[in-house]
Amino acid sequence: MTENLIDIRALKKYYPVKGGVFKRHVADVKAVDGVNLEIKKGECLGLVGESGCGKTTLGKTILRLHDATSGRIYYDRSRSVVEEAEDGFNSDNPSEVRRSIELLKKIDMTRLKGKGLAAMRKKIQIVFQDPSNSLNPRMLVKSIISEPIVTQHLVKARELEGRVVELLSTVGMANEHMMRYPHEFSGGQRQRIAIARALATNPEFVMMDEPTSALDVSVQAQILNLLMNLQENFKLTYLFVTHHLLVVKYISNRIAVMYLGRIVELSATKELFEKPFHPYTKALLSAIPIPDPETGREKIILSGDVPNPIDPPPGCRFHPRCKYIKDMCREIEPELENADSDHLVACHRWKEI
């Protein structure tokens, strides 16, 4: 059984809303609201949903680009560490209990500060959506790629240029490209540079924040194939955030569907596309264009708009737009439960629809 690299427990990220003359705290935007999620070592987990559902916020909170409001993010919580911590908690010796608390602190990314957080940065990286904005236009490619290497003191000064050349070659670019500026490249080449920068610290986990959405379709395929090859060669783990379902179908091992700050369905990619359980997932999949107009697949049109994340509806958050609604859907929020082997769904009526 594959162990988890990242284990997320009851994660919340709220943004305060201030109003009035004195700018008092009046409400919160509940961008991520109680997410439980496991990312397995070596997998590519796709994260999909409508714009504004909290996908990117969740990813950036995992990476500690945003601080979590509450919850825990455990990194590489191996069974041995957990068992050792649990043994300490079961002990009557106060020193053993304190040691167990310190053990869990070391692997809980929400508690890391200073040098501990800086060390964790080596292991977790991100590729942003638009390389035009994520690459400094005033820096040469050589400086862009070498910056994280220098910051983390990974190689000696005389070895730095060789490391940059190696990274460029890894993403399919030539040596001479390192003495150019980002504006001199195409969109696909700029994204390759961004990927090379993400690989510079030899990470274990990389978040892909819609890395192909700003690219032409033909270039998208090249970048996706590159990412898959890199994952295999360097044993990487990906969180792939996107709204493009066909892209996530191509690259992901599992898919998590997000709606209004919550995970509503999680399954292996093939099973999710063949047999979705949640009505929201069914609506998303029905929107995928198909080349044969004679197929006659039903297209599910959702009524209304996504509710305001400042004041999400009680009960199931999808109930204002769901045609299968019952009284319990308005009152009780469904939790993720096993609908099939390794297929989780948060819906009261998934067995009936």
Side-chain angles (χ1 to χ4, degrees):
M1 182 179 178
T2 305
E3 289 189 347
N4 298 330
L5 182 68
I6 295 178
D7 202 345
I8 301 162
R9 290 287 169 258
L11 188 66
K12 295 183 180 181
K13 176 58 184 175
Y14 292 177
Y15 295 98
V17 177
K18 297 182 180 181
V21 176
F22 298 103
K23 300 296 181 183
R24 292 192 177 95
H25 180 198
V26 296
D28 290 296
V29 176
K30 299 174 181 177
V32 177
D33 197 12
V35 166
N36 295 301
L37 189 63
E38 297 171 348
I39 304 175
K40 301 180 185 298
K41 288 183 180 180
E43 79 166 340
C44 177
L45 176 66
L47 185 61
V48 301
E50 292 172 280
S51 296
C53 72
K55 305 186 301 294
T56 297
T57 301
L58 173 59
K60 289 183 177 180
T61 305
I62 294 171
L63 295 178
R64 285 293 305 276
L65 297 179
H66 299 319
D67 288 331
T69 303
S70 66
R72 293 286 175 254
I73 307 167
Y74 295 110
Y75 188 88
D76 200 8
R77 187 172 65 166
S78 64
R79 288 190 183 89
S80 60
V81 172
V82 175
E83 288 169 1
E84 189 176 348
E86 287 176 347
D87 288 343
F89 285 128
N90 294 328
S91 172
D92 294 328
N93 188 338
S95 63
E96 289 294 320
V97 175
R98 285 195 297 272
R99 185 172 182 277
S100 293
I101 293 171
E102 290 302 316
L103 270 175
L104 289 182
K105 278 184 179 179
K106 289 179 181 179
I107 56 173
D108 181 1
M109 291 200 290
T110 63
R111 299 174 185 238
L112 293 177
K113 296 179 181 178
K115 292 182 179 179
L117 182 57
M120 181 59 70
R121 297 288 186 208
K122 298 177 187 178
K123 301 179 181 180
I124 55 176
Q125 289 293 322
I126 183 172
V127 175
F128 292 96
Q129 178 176 357
D130 187 357
S132 301
N133 294 327
S134 65
L135 301 178
N136 191 330
R138 297 187 178 187
M139 291 175 68
L140 291 169
V141 168
K142 177 183 177 181
S143 300
I144 290 171
I145 296 176
S146 63
E147 187 174 30
I149 302 174
V150 173
T151 301
Q152 295 285 353
H153 309 289
L154 297 179
V155 300
K156 296 177 181 178
R158 64 176 179 271
E159 300 170 351
L160 185 60
E161 184 171 320
R163 177 59 176 155
V164 172
V165 169
E166 180 186 359
L167 287 164
L168 284 172
S169 175
T170 300
V171 298
M173 298 191 71
N175 300 3
E176 58 268 20
H177 289 151
M178 68 178 177
M179 301 309 295
R180 299 181 189 175
Y181 290 94
H183 73 269
E184 299 180 69
F185 297 95
S186 66
Q189 288 175 316
R190 283 196 290 265
Q191 198 60 294
R192 288 174 186 267
I193 295 166
I195 294 169
R197 178 179 62 183
L199 295 176
T201 61
N202 294 315
E204 297 173 340
F205 173 75
V206 183
M207 175 194 166
M208 302 288 174
D209 185 14
E210 305 207 30
T212 61
S213 63
L215 307 176
D216 294 337
V217 174
S218 59
V219 180
Q220 284 184 21
Q222 296 172 18
I223 296 298
L224 289 174
N225 288 331
L226 171 64
L227 292 175
M228 293 172 73
N229 290 334
L230 292 174
Q231 183 182 21
E232 183 177 353
N233 293 337
F234 295 101
K235 310 303 179 187
L236 297 171
T237 302
Y238 290 156
L239 175 64
F240 198 96
V241 175
T242 184
H243 63 274
H244 199 310
L245 292 168
L246 292 180
V247 167
V248 83
K249 181 181 181 181
Y250 181 70
I251 195 171
S252 297
N253 306 105
R254 293 190 303 150
I255 297 176
V257 182
M258 197 167 184
Y259 183 80
L260 205 62
R262 302 273 293 186
I263 302 296
V264 297
E265 190 160 5
L266 175 65
S267 173
T269 301
K270 183 179 179 182
E271 285 146 8
L272 188 82
F273 275 80
E274 290 180 352
K275 193 177 180 182
F277 288 115
H278 200 282
Y280 176 63
T281 308
K282 292 181 179 183
L284 285 180
L285 296 180
S286 76
I288 298 175
I290 51 177
D292 185 4
E294 303 297 327
T295 302
R297 184 180 64 186
E298 178 188 3
K299 190 170 184 179
I300 302 171
I301 306 297
L302 296 177
S303 60
D305 297 321
V306 179
N308 191 336
I310 295 176
D311 185 25
C316 176
R317 300 188 174 198
F318 186 63
H319 85 251
R321 308 173 72 189
C322 182
K323 64 181 181 179
Y324 304 105
I325 182 174
K326 282 191 172 182
D327 289 342
M328 69 182 304
C329 302
R330 297 185 179 94
E331 300 167 1
I332 303 171
E333 185 166 14
E335 298 294 332
L336 283 171
E337 61 176 299
N338 275 306
D340 206 341
S341 177
D342 295 324
H343 192 150
L344 304 178
V345 61
C347 177
H348 293 303
R349 302 197 59 200
W350 66 266
K351 295 178 181 177
E352 307 167 36
I353 59 178

